[in-house]
Amino acid sequence: MKHHLGLIKEPSYETRVAFLPEEVKKLIDKYEVTISAEKEYGIQLGIPDADYTAVGASMSSKSDILQNANLILSINDAIEEQESIPPETSFIGIYNPLFFPERLQKYKNQHALVYSLDRLPRTTLAQAMDVRSSLDALSGYKAVLKATDYYSKVFPMITTATKTLKPARVLVLGAGVAGLQAIATAKRLGAIVHAFDVRKAAGEEVRSLGAKFIEIEGNKEETNAGGYAVEQADDYKKRQQDRINEQLLATDLVICTANIPGKKAPILVDEDGVKNMPSGAVIIDLAAEQGGNCSLTKNNEIVNYNSVKILGDSHLSRELPDAASQLLSGNFFNFIKHMIEKGADNDLITASQVINQENT
Ligand code: NAD
């Protein structure tokens, strides 16, 4: 089947670009694919239309693309409620459908097929298409750099003739992809780093990065959870809260990354914990979109509580748009390649399919 891939321009708040000229060229050179991109498609990264046409894409209007492409790619929502599309058009993007199921309704109404790449299984084969790993790694790294902007002391120990400045004490909550990258970045900057996760296996990874792992007995893990965390029992949550509050007394910076797929993020830092943090402390909450790990977090806002600053932002990779676009474009290329080579009924492709013909 010959594919016609449509690249839809992202909304104005989006800094990243889903598909770069490099991947357009690779796809056109290797497969029987035609590609149309919406005019000014790469403008947020300063990529001119000519860079896309030079590698074989054509530039077109959004309505033209929606009517003629059978495969449509965008990071965010590609269509508005009132836009009509031919049935069975396939959409590829990142929709977080477990937490925002309502986002899919308009696609269902139009009998579209939707593939959300954040639903790919965390397997070796899927790794090259795994947008979550790409974006979380960048967000974890950027979270620490962001913290340096708001923290008015230093990360490493600095000795001068007059005084020695103490190193920052960092606590990373959740040691998955984002958390491990945050730990590595904070360690490189010379901070003292502690980390906590409910998955015991995370302990080894934390220690291998030179950080201290906070272990709390009695955690619940499920082998069929795909490597993800599960909701914990109430008595465990109580012990977890007490231990974290004790740690917060001597913590200057908290990087929150703990999530449970499809659920509200676990609250790990409560108001009492924040109240007792050293003055000038900073909390960067990457779980903000799913409610946050800190009870005071407000999504996409900065909250000042006493002298503590709490930043809620789940899309910090948007502040590294060039790097994020490179990774995303590679992930999307690998997904489309897999789809073309193995067919749409391949296991990995169907695992990411969040609307199919049966549930439209
Ligand atoms: P995630 O974003 O869903 O959650 C981030 C971290 O928060 C996880 O480590 C989770 O255990 C932790 N967490 C959840 N509830 C918590 C709580 N109450 N307290 C403390 N921590 C809590 O997860 P993720 O970063 O996407 O990673 C999930 C798993 O997938 C990990 O095991 C990771 O190693 C694995 N993974 C595998 C691959 C692959 O093999 N291709 C790729 C990426 C990730």
Tab-separated table of all heavy atoms in Angstrom, residues 318-343:
chain	number	residue	atom	x	y	z
A	318	ARG	N	10.073	20.877	26.038
A	318	ARG	CA	9.763	21.989	25.112
A	318	ARG	C	10.789	23.112	25.234
A	318	ARG	O	10.896	23.946	24.349
A	318	ARG	CB	8.372	22.565	25.418
A	318	ARG	CG	7.265	21.658	24.946
A	318	ARG	CD	5.911	22.356	24.972
A	318	ARG	NE	4.892	21.445	24.515
A	318	ARG	CZ	3.730	21.226	25.117
A	318	ARG	NH1	3.421	21.881	26.221
A	318	ARG	NH2	2.872	20.375	24.618
A	319	GLU	N	11.521	23.129	26.341
A	319	GLU	CA	12.559	24.155	26.488
A	319	GLU	C	13.887	23.712	25.871
A	319	GLU	O	14.880	24.417	25.950
A	319	GLU	CB	12.719	24.526	27.969
A	319	GLU	CG	11.432	25.139	28.499
A	319	GLU	CD	11.567	25.763	29.865
A	319	GLU	OE1	12.692	26.028	30.311
A	319	GLU	OE2	10.516	25.992	30.495
A	320	LEU	N	13.892	22.526	25.295
A	320	LEU	CA	15.052	22.040	24.533
A	320	LEU	C	14.522	21.613	23.159
A	320	LEU	O	14.616	20.428	22.785
A	320	LEU	CB	15.693	20.837	25.246
A	320	LEU	CG	16.262	21.082	26.644
A	320	LEU	CD1	16.520	19.765	27.360
A	320	LEU	CD2	17.537	21.901	26.560
A	321	PRO	N	13.900	22.534	22.415
A	321	PRO	CA	13.141	22.126	21.231
A	321	PRO	C	13.958	21.456	20.138
A	321	PRO	O	13.478	20.534	19.478
A	321	PRO	CB	12.532	23.439	20.723
A	321	PRO	CG	13.316	24.524	21.341
A	321	PRO	CD	13.852	23.993	22.634
A	322	ASP	N	15.207	21.889	19.998
A	322	ASP	CA	16.026	21.290	18.949
A	322	ASP	C	16.332	19.834	19.290
A	322	ASP	O	16.111	18.918	18.482
A	322	ASP	CB	17.318	22.112	18.829
A	322	ASP	CG	17.864	22.076	17.435
A	322	ASP	OD1	17.891	20.968	16.869
A	322	ASP	OD2	18.261	23.126	16.900
A	323	ALA	N	16.818	19.628	20.503
A	323	ALA	CA	17.154	18.263	20.933
A	323	ALA	C	15.908	17.383	20.927
A	323	ALA	O	15.928	16.234	20.453
A	323	ALA	CB	17.769	18.307	22.328
A	324	ALA	N	14.795	17.919	21.444
A	324	ALA	CA	13.564	17.117	21.529
A	324	ALA	C	13.059	16.750	20.134
A	324	ALA	O	12.617	15.619	19.900
A	324	ALA	CB	12.497	17.894	22.301
A	325	SER	N	13.152	17.694	19.187
A	325	SER	CA	12.671	17.417	17.832
A	325	SER	C	13.525	16.346	17.166
A	325	SER	O	13.023	15.486	16.452
A	325	SER	CB	12.685	18.687	16.974
A	325	SER	OG	11.927	19.685	17.607
A	326	GLN	N	14.828	16.409	17.415
A	326	GLN	CA	15.695	15.379	16.827
A	326	GLN	C	15.295	13.988	17.316
A	326	GLN	O	15.189	13.042	16.533
A	326	GLN	CB	17.143	15.630	17.228
A	326	GLN	CG	17.779	16.764	16.455
A	326	GLN	CD	19.245	16.883	16.816
A	326	GLN	OE1	19.967	15.896	16.861
A	326	GLN	NE2	19.683	18.089	17.079
A	327	LEU	N	15.065	13.876	18.624
A	327	LEU	CA	14.714	12.561	19.166
A	327	LEU	C	13.326	12.128	18.682
A	327	LEU	O	13.127	10.992	18.262
A	327	LEU	CB	14.763	12.578	20.700
A	327	LEU	CG	16.130	12.843	21.329
A	327	LEU	CD1	16.062	12.720	22.846
A	327	LEU	CD2	17.192	11.874	20.797
A	328	LEU	N	12.361	13.067	18.753
A	328	LEU	CA	10.997	12.728	18.331
A	328	LEU	C	10.964	12.306	16.868
A	328	LEU	O	10.309	11.324	16.507
A	328	LEU	CB	10.078	13.942	18.498
A	328	LEU	CG	9.560	14.234	19.895
A	328	LEU	CD1	8.710	15.491	19.878
A	328	LEU	CD2	8.752	13.054	20.427
A	329	SER	N	11.647	13.064	16.024
A	329	SER	CA	11.636	12.775	14.602
A	329	SER	C	12.197	11.370	14.346
A	329	SER	O	11.667	10.615	13.524
A	329	SER	CB	12.443	13.853	13.870
A	329	SER	OG	12.336	13.713	12.492
A	330	GLY	N	13.238	11.018	15.084
A	330	GLY	CA	13.795	9.669	14.982
A	330	GLY	C	12.791	8.621	15.444
A	330	GLY	O	12.606	7.582	14.797
A	331	ASN	N	12.107	8.884	16.559
A	331	ASN	CA	11.105	7.938	17.071
A	331	ASN	C	9.964	7.750	16.060
A	331	ASN	O	9.554	6.635	15.766
A	331	ASN	CB	10.496	8.433	18.389
A	331	ASN	CG	11.463	8.431	19.558
A	331	ASN	OD1	11.416	9.300	20.410
A	331	ASN	ND2	12.340	7.444	19.612
A	332	PHE	N	9.452	8.868	15.536
A	332	PHE	CA	8.333	8.770	14.581
A	332	PHE	C	8.779	8.059	13.294
A	332	PHE	O	8.027	7.258	12.741
A	332	PHE	CB	7.776	10.172	14.251
A	332	PHE	CG	6.946	10.769	15.359
A	332	PHE	CD1	7.186	12.060	15.831
A	332	PHE	CD2	5.898	10.050	15.932
A	332	PHE	CE1	6.414	12.604	16.850
A	332	PHE	CE2	5.120	10.604	16.958
A	332	PHE	CZ	5.379	11.884	17.410
A	333	PHE	N	10.005	8.342	12.852
A	333	PHE	CA	10.506	7.662	11.646
A	333	PHE	C	10.517	6.145	11.891
A	333	PHE	O	10.039	5.366	11.059
A	333	PHE	CB	11.921	8.147	11.297
A	333	PHE	CG	12.577	7.319	10.235
A	333	PHE	CD1	12.275	7.537	8.895
A	333	PHE	CD2	13.453	6.293	10.557
A	333	PHE	CE1	12.848	6.750	7.896
A	333	PHE	CE2	14.018	5.499	9.571
A	333	PHE	CZ	13.723	5.729	8.243
A	334	ASN	N	11.055	5.731	13.032
A	334	ASN	CA	11.149	4.296	13.308
A	334	ASN	C	9.774	3.638	13.398
A	334	ASN	O	9.592	2.493	12.996
A	334	ASN	CB	11.935	4.057	14.604
A	334	ASN	CG	13.408	4.330	14.401
A	334	ASN	OD1	13.959	4.022	13.351
A	334	ASN	ND2	14.047	4.948	15.376
A	335	PHE	N	8.803	4.388	13.929
A	335	PHE	CA	7.447	3.843	14.028
A	335	PHE	C	6.843	3.660	12.626
A	335	PHE	O	6.296	2.606	12.297
A	335	PHE	CB	6.570	4.791	14.859
A	335	PHE	CG	5.177	4.279	15.090
A	335	PHE	CD1	4.906	3.352	16.084
A	335	PHE	CD2	4.121	4.715	14.290
A	335	PHE	CE1	3.620	2.874	16.298
A	335	PHE	CE2	2.826	4.239	14.494
A	335	PHE	CZ	2.580	3.325	15.502
A	336	ILE	N	6.963	4.688	11.787
A	336	ILE	CA	6.372	4.619	10.435
A	336	ILE	C	7.072	3.527	9.611
A	336	ILE	O	6.440	2.757	8.896
A	336	ILE	CB	6.442	6.002	9.739
A	336	ILE	CG1	5.567	6.999	10.515
A	336	ILE	CG2	5.987	5.926	8.289
A	336	ILE	CD1	5.780	8.458	10.140
A	337	LYS	N	8.386	3.448	9.775
A	337	LYS	CA	9.167	2.398	9.080
A	337	LYS	C	8.643	1.007	9.477
A	337	LYS	O	8.405	0.146	8.648
A	337	LYS	CB	10.637	2.568	9.500
A	337	LYS	CG	11.590	1.494	9.072
A	337	LYS	CD	13.003	1.913	9.512
A	337	LYS	CE	14.038	0.902	9.158
A	337	LYS	NZ	14.336	-0.087	10.129
A	338	HIS	N	8.438	0.829	10.791
A	338	HIS	CA	7.944	-0.450	11.310
A	338	HIS	C	6.551	-0.753	10.744
A	338	HIS	O	6.253	-1.879	10.367
A	338	HIS	CB	7.894	-0.357	12.840
A	338	HIS	CG	7.824	-1.694	13.514
A	338	HIS	ND1	8.923	-2.489	13.692
A	338	HIS	CD2	6.769	-2.375	14.032
A	338	HIS	CE1	8.558	-3.601	14.305
A	338	HIS	NE2	7.252	-3.563	14.531
A	339	MET	N	5.732	0.291	10.673
A	339	MET	CA	4.367	0.145	10.159
A	339	MET	C	4.401	-0.289	8.687
A	339	MET	O	3.670	-1.176	8.257
A	339	MET	CB	3.679	1.508	10.272
A	339	MET	CG	2.206	1.465	10.398
A	339	MET	SD	1.682	3.190	10.643
A	339	MET	CE	0.102	2.882	11.373
A	340	ILE	N	5.279	0.353	7.917
A	340	ILE	CA	5.361	0.034	6.480
A	340	ILE	C	5.925	-1.375	6.288
A	340	ILE	O	5.404	-2.167	5.518
A	340	ILE	CB	6.253	1.075	5.746
A	340	ILE	CG1	5.586	2.452	5.779
A	340	ILE	CG2	6.527	0.642	4.310
A	340	ILE	CD1	6.470	3.602	5.273
A	341	GLU	N	6.976	-1.700	7.037
A	341	GLU	CA	7.644	-2.991	6.816
A	341	GLU	C	6.847	-4.165	7.374
A	341	GLU	O	6.811	-5.236	6.781
A	341	GLU	CB	9.040	-2.971	7.455
A	341	GLU	CG	10.016	-2.100	6.685
A	341	GLU	CD	11.408	-2.073	7.309
A	341	GLU	OE1	11.608	-2.685	8.380
A	341	GLU	OE2	12.290	-1.409	6.718
A	342	LYS	N	6.213	-3.960	8.542
A	342	LYS	CA	5.555	-5.105	9.214
A	342	LYS	C	4.040	-5.099	9.070
A	342	LYS	O	3.380	-6.056	9.451
A	342	LYS	CB	5.894	-5.118	10.723
A	342	LYS	CG	7.349	-5.003	11.053
A	342	LYS	CD	8.052	-6.327	10.927
A	342	LYS	CE	9.511	-6.162	11.301
A	342	LYS	NZ	10.364	-7.227	10.867
A	343	GLY	N	3.486	-3.982	8.612
A	343	GLY	CA	2.026	-3.923	8.456
A	343	GLY	C	1.359	-3.397	9.707
A	343	GLY	O	1.902	-3.501	10.821
